[in-house]
């Protein structure tokens, strides 16, 4: 299958594109070795109940492929692969285990495979199977794949200094990027669980909780502060502690009392998979 070929393609990369801890070993396949001549960047992130390790292959300053190994807590796990051409999403592949729906497998999880192809930023075609049963990808899954790709690229952009400064000793080089997320206290104040993390600068992040009733702003080496949701018609969507924030789709405009204004972009948003319908329909 196309999806499995994409995932298996990761296993033939020299040393760097190894399986995540605990993943089943995969056999090499006759697919492109994207690590040849590439810089390999590794990192990790968390969002709500989701934790993940990721790995990107970069050639000529542009991402060729980003792989993620996600753990959804009690909801399951997934291997996700994004393939790009000139910075545009070309393919999204997912191979995972999701909990939900009736008449699932004996362990309560369903095996989901999702393969979506894109061209010029638009969905072209794709397929989905649940426990081996063919079904159509949903509009929500297609939109989610596109959003996840944008977040993955933004996360890679944040890590740019680390991999640009790396030096190639062979055909590829590795730059390990430490996890860059707000503190546990910032997440607690936002209402931990399904939160979205925005990067405003190298030293400033904002966290929006699942209830979206408050926005927590955290600057490195300073305690986090809370901005409360404002009533409709107010100048800002969130306000407090010398900050005002306006939500603009996938971005937040953050204004400080000093006059400084920042644009904050999503760098961590991987909610647990939605419940599956009965019998994979």
């Amino acid at each position: 299958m196309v999806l499995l070929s994409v995932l298996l393609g990761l296993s033939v990369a020299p040393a760097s594109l190894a399986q995540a801890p605990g993943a089943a070993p995969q056999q090499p396949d006759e697919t492109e070795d994207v690590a040849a001549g590439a810089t390999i960047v590794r990192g990790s992130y968390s969002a709500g109940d989701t934790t993940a390790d990721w790995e990107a292959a970069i050639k000529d300053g542009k991402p060729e492929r980003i792989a993620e190994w996600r753990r959804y807590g009690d909801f399951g796990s997934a291997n996700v692969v994004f393939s790009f051409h000139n910075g545009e999403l070309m393919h999204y592949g997912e191979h995972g285990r999701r909990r939900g729906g009736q008449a699932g497998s004996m362990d309560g999880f369903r095996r989901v495979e999702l393969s979506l192809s894109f061209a010029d930023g638009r969905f072209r075609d794709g397929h989905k199977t649940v426990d081996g049963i063919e079904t159509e990808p949903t509009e929500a899954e297609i939109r989610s794949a596109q959003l996840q790709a944008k977040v993955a690229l933004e996360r890679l952009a944040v890590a740019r200094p680390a991999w640009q400064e790396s030096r190639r000793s062979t055909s590829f080089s590795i730059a390990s990027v430490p996890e860059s997320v707000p503190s546990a206290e910032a997440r607690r104040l936002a209402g931990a669980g399904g939160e979205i993390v925005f990067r405003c600068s190298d030293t400033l992040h904002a966290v929006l909780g699942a209830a979206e009733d408050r926005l927590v702003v955290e600057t490195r080496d300073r305690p986090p502060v809370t901005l409360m949701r404002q009533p409709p018609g107010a100048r800002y969507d969130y306000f407090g502690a010398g900050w005002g924030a306006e939500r603009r789709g996938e971005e937040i405009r953050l204004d400080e009392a000093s006059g400084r204004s920042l644009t904050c972009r999503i760098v961590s948003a991987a909610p647990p998979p939605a419940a599956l319908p009965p019998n994979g329909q």
Side-chain angles (χ1 to χ4, degrees):
M1 297 181 69
V2 175
L3 173 59
L4 289 179
S5 296
V6 172
L7 293 173
L8 288 169
L10 293 173
S11 65
V12 302
S16 59
L17 288 175
Q19 292 297 301
Q26 297 176 336
Q27 298 300 316
D29 195 15
E30 293 183 1
T31 56
E32 178 189 6
D33 181 359
V34 297
T39 296
I40 305 302
V41 182
R42 290 172 172 165
S44 60
Y45 68 87
S46 61
D49 292 330
T50 299
T51 59
D53 298 311
W54 60 268
E55 194 164 86
I58 303 165
K59 291 182 179 179
D60 300 322
K62 296 181 180 180
E64 292 272 319
R65 187 171 296 171
I66 299 177
E68 296 188 8
W69 292 270
R70 298 177 182 171
R71 299 165 293 279
Y72 298 120
D74 293 337
F75 293 91
S77 61
N79 287 0
V80 175
V81 178
F82 306 93
S83 296
F84 299 93
H85 178 67
N86 289 330
E88 293 288 337
L89 177 64
M90 298 297 293
H91 185 266
Y92 171 93
E94 177 185 340
H95 179 73
R97 298 165 65 248
R98 301 187 195 174
R99 188 184 297 279
Q102 300 174 3
S105 58
M106 292 298 292
D107 59 6
F109 289 96
R110 287 188 159 166
R111 278 62 181 174
V112 179
E113 294 186 11
L114 187 61
S115 178
L116 308 174
S117 296
F118 299 85
D120 299 322
R122 296 183 178 182
F123 175 67
R124 187 176 63 186
D125 56 51
H127 72 267
K128 172 185 175 183
T129 64
V130 180
D131 288 339
I133 301 175
E134 292 280 350
T135 184
E136 291 295 322
T138 66
E139 289 293 330
E141 287 170 325
I142 294 169
R143 290 194 301 271
S144 177
Q146 293 172 310
L147 173 60
Q148 290 175 50
K150 290 180 180 179
V151 172
L153 289 174
E154 181 64 23
R155 188 178 297 117
L156 186 60
V158 172
R160 184 179 295 272
W163 57 264
Q164 281 190 329
E165 293 172 4
S166 65
R167 296 293 182 265
R168 301 180 181 183
S169 57
T170 58
S171 62
F172 66 93
S173 59
I174 299 175
S176 295
V177 181
E179 183 178 6
S180 177
V181 296
S183 66
E185 175 64 9
R187 291 179 177 276
R188 185 190 67 79
L189 290 172
E195 66 267 25
I196 300 175
V197 176
F198 296 82
R199 175 184 177 271
C200 308
S201 72
D202 289 340
T203 59
L204 194 153
H205 288 78
V207 189
L208 184 64
E212 298 191 4
D213 59 346
R214 67 195 67 187
L215 180 75
V216 176
V217 175
E218 184 175 45
T219 304
R220 184 179 297 169
D221 300 326
R222 295 183 184 178
V225 296
T226 302
L227 287 61
M228 300 306 299
R229 184 67 184 257
Q230 301 298 296
R235 178 181 178 184
Y236 292 108
D237 296 317
Y238 300 90
F239 187 78
W243 295 93
E246 179 184 355
R247 180 77 184 270
R248 297 178 175 179
E250 299 171 11
E251 297 181 348
I252 286 179
R253 177 188 172 90
L254 189 63
D255 295 336
E256 193 176 12
S258 64
R260 180 173 59 155
S261 183
L262 301 166
T263 297
C264 310
R265 296 181 174 86
I266 295 176
V267 293
S268 181
L276 295 171
N279 300 319
Q281 301 300 313

